[in-house]
Coordinates of all heavy atoms in Angstrom, one line a residue:
M24 N 9.9 -2.3 1.7 CA 10.8 -1.3 2.3 C 10.0 -0.5 3.4 O 8.9 -0.1 3.2 CB 11.2 -0.3 1.2 CG 11.9 0.9 1.8 SD 12.4 2.1 0.5 CE 10.9 3.0 0.2
R25 N 10.5 -0.5 4.6 CA 9.8 0.2 5.7 C 10.1 1.7 5.6 O 11.3 2.1 5.3 CB 10.3 -0.3 7.0 CG 9.8 -1.7 7.2 CD 10.1 -2.2 8.6 NE 9.7 -3.5 8.8 CZ 8.8 -3.9 9.7 NH1 8.4 -3.1 10.6 NH2 8.4 -5.2 9.8
L26 N 9.1 2.5 5.9 CA 9.3 3.9 5.9 C 9.6 4.4 7.3 O 9.2 3.8 8.3 CB 8.0 4.6 5.4 CG 7.6 4.3 3.9 CD1 6.3 5.1 3.6 CD2 8.7 4.6 2.9
S27 N 10.3 5.5 7.4 CA 10.5 6.1 8.7 C 9.3 6.9 9.1 O 8.4 7.2 8.4 CB 11.7 7.1 8.6 OG 11.3 8.3 7.8
W28 N 9.2 7.2 10.5 CA 8.1 7.9 11.0 C 7.9 9.3 10.3 O 6.8 9.7 10.0 CB 8.2 8.0 12.5 CG 7.7 6.8 13.2 CD1 8.5 5.9 13.9 CD2 6.4 6.2 13.2 NE1 7.7 4.8 14.3 CE2 6.4 5.0 13.9 CE3 5.2 6.6 12.6 CZ2 5.3 4.2 14.1 CZ3 4.0 5.8 12.8 CH2 4.1 4.6 13.5
P29 N 9.0 10.0 10.1 CA 8.8 11.3 9.4 C 8.2 11.1 8.0 O 7.4 11.9 7.6 CB 10.3 11.9 9.3 CG 11.0 11.3 10.5 CD 10.4 9.9 10.6
E30 N 8.6 10.1 7.3 CA 8.0 9.8 5.9 C 6.6 9.5 6.1 O 5.7 10.0 5.3 CB 8.8 8.7 5.3 CG 10.2 9.0 4.8 CD 10.9 7.8 4.3 OE1 11.0 6.7 5.0 OE2 11.4 7.8 3.2
I31 N 6.2 8.7 7.1 CA 4.8 8.3 7.3 C 4.0 9.5 7.6 O 2.9 9.7 7.1 CB 4.7 7.2 8.3 CG1 5.3 5.9 7.8 CG2 3.2 7.0 8.8 CD1 5.4 4.8 8.8
R32 N 4.5 10.4 8.5 CA 3.8 11.6 8.9 C 3.6 12.5 7.7 O 2.5 13.1 7.5 CB 4.6 12.4 9.9 CG 4.3 11.8 11.3 CD 4.9 12.8 12.4 NE 5.5 12.0 13.5 CZ 6.7 11.7 13.7 NH1 7.7 12.2 12.9 NH2 7.1 10.9 14.7
T33 N 4.6 12.7 6.8 CA 4.5 13.5 5.6 C 3.4 12.9 4.7 O 2.6 13.6 4.2 CB 5.9 13.6 4.9 OG1 6.8 14.2 5.8 CG2 5.8 14.4 3.6
N34 N 3.5 11.6 4.5 CA 2.5 10.9 3.6 C 1.1 11.1 4.2 O 0.2 11.3 3.4 CB 2.9 9.4 3.5 CG 4.1 9.2 2.7 OD1 4.7 10.1 2.0 ND2 4.6 8.0 2.7
A35 N 1.0 10.9 5.5 CA -0.4 11.0 6.1 C -0.9 12.4 6.0 O -2.1 12.6 5.7 CB -0.3 10.7 7.6
A36 N -0.1 13.4 6.1 CA -0.5 14.8 5.9 C -1.0 15.1 4.5 O -2.0 15.7 4.2 CB 0.6 15.8 6.3
H37 N -0.2 14.5 3.5 CA -0.6 14.7 2.1 C -1.9 14.0 1.9 O -2.8 14.5 1.2 CB 0.5 14.1 1.2 CG 0.2 14.3 -0.2 ND1 -0.5 13.3 -0.9 CD2 0.5 15.2 -1.1 CE1 -0.6 13.7 -2.2 NE2 0.0 14.9 -2.3
F38 N -2.1 12.8 2.4 CA -3.3 12.0 2.3 C -4.5 12.7 2.8 O -5.5 12.8 2.2 CB -3.1 10.6 3.0 CG -4.4 9.8 3.1 CD1 -4.8 9.0 2.0 CD2 -5.2 9.9 4.2 CE1 -6.0 8.2 2.1 CE2 -6.3 9.1 4.3 CZ -6.7 8.3 3.3
A39 N -4.4 13.3 4.0 CA -5.5 14.0 4.6 C -5.9 15.2 3.8 O -7.1 15.5 3.6 CB -5.0 14.5 6.1
T40 N -4.9 16.0 3.3 CA -5.2 17.1 2.4 C -5.9 16.7 1.2 O -6.9 17.3 0.7 CB -3.9 17.9 2.1 OG1 -3.3 18.3 3.3 CG2 -4.1 19.1 1.2
E41 N -5.4 15.6 0.6 CA -5.9 15.1 -0.7 C -7.4 14.7 -0.6 O -8.2 14.9 -1.4 CB -5.0 14.0 -1.2 CG -5.5 13.4 -2.5 CD -5.3 14.3 -3.7 OE1 -4.4 15.2 -3.6 OE2 -6.0 14.2 -4.7
W42 N -7.7 14.0 0.6 CA -9.0 13.4 0.7 C -10.0 14.3 1.5 O -11.2 14.0 1.6 CB -8.9 12.1 1.4 CG -8.5 11.0 0.4 CD1 -7.2 10.6 0.1 CD2 -9.3 10.4 -0.5 NE1 -7.2 9.7 -0.9 CE2 -8.5 9.5 -1.3 CE3 -10.7 10.4 -0.8 CZ2 -9.0 8.8 -2.3 CZ3 -11.2 9.6 -1.8 CH2 -10.4 8.8 -2.5
Q43 N -9.5 15.4 2.0 CA -10.4 16.3 2.8 C -11.6 16.8 1.9 O -11.3 17.3 0.7 CB -9.6 17.5 3.3 CG -10.5 18.4 4.1 CD -9.7 19.6 4.7 OE1 -8.5 19.8 4.3 NE2 -10.2 20.3 5.7
G44 N -12.8 16.6 2.3 CA -13.9 17.1 1.6 C -14.4 16.1 0.5 O -15.4 16.4 -0.2
K45 N -13.7 15.0 0.2 CA -14.1 14.1 -0.8 C -15.2 13.2 -0.1 O -15.0 12.7 1.0 CB -13.0 13.2 -1.2 CG -11.8 13.9 -1.8 CD -11.9 14.2 -3.2 CE -10.9 15.2 -3.7 NZ -9.6 14.7 -4.1
G46 N -16.3 13.0 -0.8 CA -17.4 12.4 0.0 C -18.1 11.2 -0.6 O -18.8 10.5 0.2
Y47 N -18.0 10.8 -1.8 CA -18.8 9.7 -2.3 C -18.1 8.4 -2.0 O -17.2 7.9 -2.7 CB -19.0 9.9 -3.8 CG -19.8 8.8 -4.4 CD1 -21.1 8.5 -4.0 CD2 -19.3 8.0 -5.5 CE1 -21.8 7.5 -4.5 CE2 -20.1 7.0 -6.1 CZ -21.3 6.7 -5.6 OH -22.1 5.7 -6.1
E48 N -18.5 7.8 -0.8 CA -17.8 6.6 -0.3 C -17.8 5.5 -1.2 O -16.7 4.9 -1.5 CB -18.5 6.2 1.0 CG -17.9 5.0 1.6 CD -18.6 4.6 2.9 OE1 -19.4 5.3 3.4 OE2 -18.3 3.4 3.3
K49 N -18.9 5.0 -1.8 CA -19.0 3.9 -2.6 C -18.1 4.0 -3.9 O -17.5 3.1 -4.3 CB -20.4 3.5 -3.0 CG -21.2 2.9 -1.9 CD -20.8 1.5 -1.7 CE -21.7 0.9 -0.7 NZ -21.3 -0.4 -0.3
G50 N -18.2 5.2 -4.5 CA -17.4 5.4 -5.7 C -15.9 5.6 -5.5 O -15.2 5.5 -6.5
Q51 N -15.5 5.9 -4.3 CA -14.1 6.2 -4.1 C -13.4 5.2 -3.2 O -12.2 5.4 -2.8 CB -14.0 7.6 -3.4 CG -14.5 8.7 -4.3 CD -13.6 8.9 -5.6 OE1 -12.4 8.6 -5.6 NE2 -14.2 9.3 -6.7
T52 N -14.1 4.2 -2.8 CA -13.5 3.2 -1.8 C -12.2 2.7 -2.2 O -11.2 2.7 -1.4 CB -14.5 2.0 -1.5 OG1 -15.7 2.6 -1.0 CG2 -14.0 1.1 -0.5
H53 N -12.1 2.1 -3.4 CA -10.8 1.5 -3.8 C -9.7 2.5 -3.9 O -8.6 2.2 -3.4 CB -11.0 0.8 -5.1 CG -12.0 -0.3 -5.1 ND1 -12.3 -1.0 -6.2 CD2 -12.6 -0.9 -4.1 CE1 -13.2 -2.0 -5.9 NE2 -13.4 -1.9 -4.6
S54 N -9.9 3.7 -4.4 CA -8.9 4.7 -4.5 C -8.5 5.1 -3.1 O -7.3 5.3 -2.8 CB -9.4 5.9 -5.3 OG -9.7 5.5 -6.6
F55 N -9.5 5.3 -2.2 CA -9.2 5.7 -0.8 C -8.2 4.7 -0.2 O -7.2 5.1 0.4 CB -10.5 5.8 0.0 CG -10.3 6.2 1.4 CD1 -10.2 7.5 1.8 CD2 -10.1 5.2 2.4 CE1 -10.0 7.9 3.1 CE2 -9.9 5.6 3.7 CZ -9.9 6.9 4.1
Y56 N -8.5 3.4 -0.2 CA -7.7 2.5 0.5 C -6.3 2.3 -0.2 O -5.3 2.1 0.4 CB -8.4 1.1 0.6 CG -9.4 1.1 1.7 CD1 -10.7 1.0 1.5 CD2 -8.9 1.3 3.0 CE1 -11.6 1.0 2.6 CE2 -9.8 1.3 4.1 CZ -11.1 1.1 3.9 OH -12.0 1.2 4.9
D57 N -6.3 2.4 -1.6 CA -5.0 2.4 -2.2 C -4.1 3.5 -1.7 O -2.9 3.3 -1.4 CB -5.2 2.5 -3.8 CG -5.8 1.2 -4.4 OD1 -5.8 0.2 -3.7 OD2 -6.2 1.3 -5.6
D58 N -4.7 4.7 -1.6 CA -3.9 5.9 -1.2 C -3.6 5.7 0.3 O -2.5 6.1 0.8 CB -4.7 7.2 -1.4 CG -4.8 7.6 -2.8 OD1 -4.1 6.9 -3.7 OD2 -5.6 8.5 -3.1
F59 N -4.5 5.2 1.1 CA -4.3 5.0 2.5 C -3.1 4.1 2.8 O -2.2 4.4 3.6 CB -5.5 4.4 3.2 CG -5.3 4.1 4.7 CD1 -5.3 5.1 5.6 CD2 -5.0 2.8 5.1 CE1 -5.1 4.8 7.0 CE2 -4.8 2.5 6.4 CZ -4.8 3.5 7.4
F60 N -3.0 2.9 2.1 CA -1.9 2.0 2.4 C -0.6 2.6 1.9 O 0.5 2.3 2.4 CB -2.2 0.7 1.7 CG -3.2 -0.1 2.5 CD1 -4.4 -0.5 1.9 CD2 -2.9 -0.6 3.8 CE1 -5.4 -1.2 2.6 CE2 -3.9 -1.3 4.5 CZ -5.1 -1.6 3.9
R61 N -0.6 3.5 0.9 CA 0.6 4.2 0.4 C 1.2 5.0 1.5 O 2.4 5.3 1.4 CB 0.3 5.0 -0.8 CG 0.4 4.2 -2.1 CD 0.4 5.1 -3.3 NE -0.3 4.4 -4.4 CZ -1.5 4.7 -4.9 NH1 -2.2 5.8 -4.4 NH2 -2.1 4.0 -5.8
I62 N 0.4 5.5 2.4 CA 1.0 6.3 3.6 C 2.1 5.5 4.2 O 3.1 6.1 4.6 CB -0.1 6.5 4.6 CG1 -1.2 7.5 4.1 CG2 0.5 7.1 5.9 CD1 -2.4 7.7 5.1
F63 N 1.9 4.2 4.3 CA 2.9 3.3 5.0 C 3.9 2.7 4.0 O 4.7 1.8 4.5 CB 2.2 2.3 5.8 CG 1.1 2.9 6.7 CD1 -0.2 3.0 6.4 CD2 1.5 3.4 7.9 CE1 -1.1 3.5 7.2 CE2 0.6 4.0 8.8 CZ -0.7 4.1 8.4
G64 N 3.8 3.0 2.7 CA 4.7 2.4 1.8 C 4.3 1.0 1.5 O 5.2 0.2 1.1
V65 N 3.0 0.6 1.6 CA 2.6 -0.8 1.4 C 1.6 -0.8 0.2 O 0.6 -0.1 0.3 CB 1.9 -1.3 2.7 CG1 1.3 -2.7 2.5 CG2 2.8 -1.2 3.9
P66 N 1.9 -1.6 -0.8 CA 0.9 -1.8 -1.8 C -0.3 -2.5 -1.3 O -0.3 -3.5 -0.6 CB 1.6 -2.7 -2.8 CG 3.1 -2.8 -2.4 CD 3.1 -2.4 -1.0
R67 N -1.5 -1.9 -1.6 CA -2.8 -2.5 -1.1 C -2.9 -4.0 -1.4 O -3.4 -4.7 -0.6 CB -3.9 -1.7 -1.7 CG -5.3 -2.0 -1.0 CD -6.1 -3.0 -1.8 NE -6.1 -2.8 -3.2 CZ -6.3 -3.7 -4.1 NH1 -6.5 -5.0 -3.7 NH2 -6.3 -3.5 -5.4
R68 N -2.5 -4.4 -2.6 CA -2.6 -5.8 -2.9 C -1.9 -6.7 -2.0 O -2.2 -7.9 -1.9 CB -2.1 -6.0 -4.4 CG -3.1 -5.4 -5.4 CD -2.6 -5.8 -6.8 NE -3.3 -4.9 -7.7 CZ -2.8 -4.3 -8.7 NH1 -1.5 -4.4 -8.9 NH2 -3.5 -3.5 -9.5
Q69 N -0.9 -6.2 -1.3 CA -0.1 -7.0 -0.4 C -0.9 -7.3 0.9 O -0.6 -8.3 1.5 CB 1.2 -6.2 0.0 CG 2.1 -7.0 0.9 CD 3.4 -6.2 1.1 OE1 3.8 -5.4 0.3 NE2 4.0 -6.4 2.3
V70 N -1.9 -6.5 1.2 CA -2.5 -6.6 2.5 C -4.1 -6.7 2.4 O -4.7 -7.1 3.4 CB -2.2 -5.5 3.5 CG1 -0.7 -5.6 3.9 CG2 -2.5 -4.2 3.0
A71 N -4.7 -6.3 1.3 CA -6.1 -6.3 1.3 C -6.7 -6.8 0.0 O -6.0 -6.6 -1.1 CB -6.6 -4.9 1.6
V72 N -7.9 -7.4 0.0 CA -8.6 -7.9 -1.2 C -10.0 -7.2 -1.2 O -10.6 -7.1 -0.1 CB -8.8 -9.4 -1.1 CG1 -9.6 -9.9 -2.3 CG2 -7.4 -10.1 -1.0
Y73 N -10.4 -6.7 -2.3 CA -11.7 -6.1 -2.5 C -12.8 -7.2 -2.9 O -12.5 -8.1 -3.6 CB -11.7 -5.0 -3.5 CG -10.9 -3.8 -3.2 CD1 -10.0 -3.3 -4.1 CD2 -10.9 -3.2 -1.9 CE1 -9.2 -2.2 -3.8 CE2 -10.2 -2.1 -1.6 CZ -9.3 -1.6 -2.6 OH -8.6 -0.5 -2.3
E74 N -14.0 -6.9 -2.5 CA -15.2 -7.6 -2.9 C -15.0 -9.1 -2.8 O -15.2 -9.9 -3.7 CB -15.5 -7.2 -4.3 CG -15.7 -5.7 -4.6 CD -16.8 -5.1 -3.7 OE1 -17.8 -5.8 -3.3 OE2 -16.7 -3.9 -3.4
Q75 N -14.7 -9.6 -1.6 CA -14.6 -11.0 -1.3 C -15.9 -11.6 -1.0 O -16.6 -11.1 -0.2 CB -13.6 -11.2 -0.1 CG -13.2 -12.6 0.2 CD -12.3 -13.1 -0.8 OE1 -11.5 -12.4 -1.4 NE2 -12.4 -14.4 -1.1
R76 N -16.2 -12.7 -1.7 CA -17.5 -13.5 -1.3 C -17.2 -14.3 -0.1 O -16.2 -14.8 0.2 CB -17.8 -14.4 -2.5 CG -18.4 -13.7 -3.6 CD -19.1 -14.7 -4.6 NE -19.7 -13.9 -5.6 CZ -20.3 -14.5 -6.6 NH1 -20.4 -15.8 -6.7 NH2 -20.9 -13.7 -7.6
V77 N -18.3 -14.3 0.8 CA -18.2 -15.1 2.0 C -19.5 -15.9 2.1 O -20.5 -15.6 1.5 CB -18.1 -14.1 3.2 CG1 -16.8 -13.4 3.2 CG2 -19.3 -13.2 3.3
K78 N -19.3 -17.0 2.9 CA -20.5 -17.8 3.2 C -21.4 -17.1 4.2 O -20.9 -16.7 5.2 CB -20.0 -19.2 3.7 CG -21.1 -20.2 3.9 CD -20.6 -21.5 4.3 CE -21.8 -22.5 4.4 NZ -21.3 -23.8 4.7
S79 N -22.7 -17.1 3.9 CA -23.6 -16.3 4.7 C -24.4 -17.3 5.5 O -24.7 -18.4 5.1 CB -24.5 -15.5 3.8 OG -25.5 -14.9 4.6
L80 N -24.8 -16.9 6.7 CA -25.8 -17.7 7.5 C -27.2 -17.7 6.9 O -28.0 -18.6 7.1 CB -25.8 -17.3 8.9 CG -24.5 -17.4 9.7 CD1 -24.6 -16.8 11.1 CD2 -24.1 -18.9 9.8
D81 N -27.5 -16.6 6.2 CA -28.8 -16.4 5.5 C -28.6 -17.0 4.1 O -27.6 -16.9 3.5 CB -29.2 -15.0 5.5 CG -29.4 -14.4 6.9 OD1 -29.9 -15.1 7.8 OD2 -29.0 -13.2 7.1
P82 N -29.8 -17.5 3.5 CA -29.7 -17.9 2.1 C -29.3 -16.8 1.2 O -29.6 -15.6 1.5 CB -31.1 -18.4 1.9 CG -31.8 -18.6 3.2 CD -31.1 -17.7 4.2
G83 N -28.7 -17.1 0.1 CA -28.3 -16.1 -0.8 C -26.8 -15.8 -0.8 O -26.1 -16.4 0.0
R84 N -26.4 -14.9 -1.6 CA -25.0 -14.5 -1.7 C -24.8 -13.3 -0.7 O -25.6 -12.5 -0.4 CB -24.7 -14.1 -3.1 CG -24.8 -15.2 -4.0 CD -24.4 -14.7 -5.4 NE -24.5 -15.8 -6.4 CZ -24.3 -15.7 -7.6 NH1 -23.9 -14.5 -8.1 NH2 -24.5 -16.7 -8.4
S85 N -23.5 -13.3 -0.3 CA -23.1 -12.2 0.6 C -21.7 -11.9 0.3 O -21.0 -12.7 -0.3 CB -23.3 -12.7 2.1 OG -23.1 -11.6 2.9
G86 N -21.3 -10.7 0.7 CA -19.9 -10.3 0.4 C -19.4 -9.3 1.4 O -20.1 -8.8 2.2
V87 N -18.1 -9.1 1.3 CA -17.4 -8.2 2.2 C -16.6 -7.2 1.2 O -16.0 -7.6 0.3 CB -16.4 -8.9 3.1 CG1 -15.6 -7.9 3.9 CG2 -17.1 -9.9 4.0
S88 N -16.7 -5.9 1.5 CA -16.1 -4.9 0.7 C -14.6 -5.0 0.6 O -14.0 -4.9 -0.5 CB -16.5 -3.5 1.1 OG -17.9 -3.4 0.9
S89 N -14.0 -5.3 1.8 CA -12.5 -5.4 1.8 C -12.1 -6.2 3.0 O -12.7 -6.1 4.1 CB -11.9 -4.0 1.9 OG -10.5 -4.0 2.0
T90 N -11.1 -7.1 2.7 CA -10.6 -7.9 3.8 C -9.1 -7.7 3.8 O -8.5 -7.5 2.8 CB -10.9 -9.4 3.7 OG1 -10.4 -9.8 2.4 CG2 -12.4 -9.6 3.7
C91 N -8.5 -7.8 5.0 CA -7.1 -7.8 5.2 C -6.5 -9.1 5.4 O -7.1 -9.9 6.2 CB -6.7 -6.8 6.3 SG -7.0 -5.1 5.9
S92 N -5.4 -9.5 4.7 CA -4.9 -10.8 4.8 C -3.9 -11.0 6.0 O -3.5 -12.1 6.3 CB -4.1 -11.1 3.5 OG -3.1 -10.2 3.3
G93 N -3.6 -9.9 6.7 CA -2.7 -10.0 7.8 C -1.9 -8.7 8.0 O -2.0 -7.8 7.2
P94 N -0.9 -8.7 8.9 CA -0.1 -7.5 9.1 C 0.8 -7.3 7.9 O 1.3 -8.2 7.3 CB 0.7 -7.9 10.4 CG 0.7 -9.3 10.5 CD -0.6 -9.8 9.8
A95 N 1.0 -6.0 7.6 CA 1.9 -5.6 6.6 C 3.3 -5.9 7.0 O 3.7 -5.7 8.2 CB 1.7 -4.1 6.3
R96 N 4.1 -6.4 6.1 CA 5.5 -6.7 6.5 C 6.4 -5.9 5.5 O 6.3 -5.7 4.5 CB 5.8 -8.2 6.3 CG 4.9 -9.0 7.2 CD 5.4 -10.3 7.5 NE 4.5 -11.2 8.1 CZ 4.2 -11.2 9.4 NH1 4.8 -10.3 10.2 NH2 3.4 -12.0 10.0

């Protein structure tokens, strides 16, 4: 379901108020992005994956904190 611009603006204002002054990035990353995508009425699982392993040019394991699978529809 697509949200109207007024709904997005209202959601964004609520998000900004809710997250203002919150600071521990590593501990809040998942919650932050879940709430961020809710601004647009999009479930995070529809557009992003957390902690994805990637092939590294350097030996050893490597990962990406979050990747997006494409545009939200």
Side-chain angles (χ1 to χ4, degrees):
M24 171 178 82
R25 291 189 181 235
L26 299 181
S27 68
W28 280 113
E30 289 173 306
I31 292 171
R32 279 190 216 103
T33 299
N34 292 348
H37 182 273
F38 172 84
T40 300
E41 181 70 25
W42 281 95
Q43 184 176 13
K45 304 272 170 85
Y47 181 54
E48 181 182 346
K49 286 287 187 185
Q51 298 295 327
T52 300
H53 296 176
S54 297
F55 178 89
Y56 281 114
D57 288 346
D58 289 352
F59 175 79
F60 287 116
R61 274 192 213 110
I62 291 172
F63 307 98
V65 177
R67 191 263 317 152
R68 290 184 193 134
Q69 183 178 331
V70 294
V72 176
Y73 294 132
E74 306 300 332
Q75 185 72 32
R76 284 193 177 177
V77 295
K78 186 174 181 176
S79 176
L80 297 175
D81 297 325
R84 295 182 183 177
S85 191
V87 176
S88 294
S89 180
T90 58
C91 290
S92 59
R96 301 201 192 281

